[in-house]
Amino acid sequence: LLIIPIFTTHAMWGGFSRQLAPVWYPQSWHRANELLNQDPELSSSEPASGGRVLFLPWHLYFSLKFNRNIITANPARGFFDQPIIRGQNMELGGIYRTKVSPENQVIENLILSDYAGELSPDAIIQAFKQNNVKYIIFSKDLLGRDVFPYNFLNSAALTPVLRDEDLAVYRIK
């Protein structure tokens, strides 16, 4: 009985057969976090009134290049210091979502409106602004592979404040 755990857990000693390995966030993510932390409205005690940050791509699970393209949960809420709105949709087989907050449902409906071409990019950005979204962070990891086109990122109502190879941050005017 004492030998059984040794034989069944041997993969743990090598990082689960080298499937687990530490990764470091790119410098662009750190620069984006610093930029957001410098905005006093975001750092207020009332984040809903001061502004929120929308993180795209709008998926709960997706692959990140800096994480060896392994599909993982969206790390935005855990990494950024400011309040983040991110997708909560599982998109697993026939299950699209299990639960969603009312705030996320509004944002998701706007993103789906962009996908369907129902609203103009400027109208979507104004709707984001009415829902206290002040910044949009766009991770380019799924560029060209994502089902959502994010046409609203080309709106004149956005000001790019950080553009990097793998990440862009936009401020809503």
Side-chain angles (χ1 to χ4, degrees), residues 33-126:
N33 194 38
E34 290 172 15
L35 183 129
L36 297 173
N37 286 338
Q38 291 173 1
D39 189 323
E41 289 180 20
L42 290 179
S43 301
S44 72
S45 60
E46 297 288 330
S49 64
R52 304 282 304 242
V53 180
L54 172 62
F55 185 86
L56 301 173
W58 188 253
H59 303 285
L60 182 57
Y61 298 101
F62 62 97
S63 60
L64 295 159
K65 290 178 185 170
F66 69 85
N67 192 20
R68 301 179 304 166
N69 286 319
I70 296 172
I71 296 175
T72 56
N74 187 328
R77 277 197 181 157
F79 180 82
F80 294 104
D81 298 330
Q82 302 303 328
I84 297 288
I85 303 168
R86 62 167 169 83
Q88 295 177 338
N89 44 350
M90 290 186 59
E91 304 170 274
L92 179 64
I95 303 171
Y96 186 73
R97 74 175 74 84
T98 54
K99 64 176 184 171
V100 68
S101 68
E103 171 187 60
N104 271 53
Q105 187 62 55
V106 169
I107 300 298
E108 184 171 294
N109 289 342
L110 291 168
I111 291 171
L112 291 173
S113 294
D114 177 58
Y115 175 72
E118 297 170 348
L119 294 174
S120 71
D122 291 337
I124 292 171
I125 294 300
Q126 287 310 312

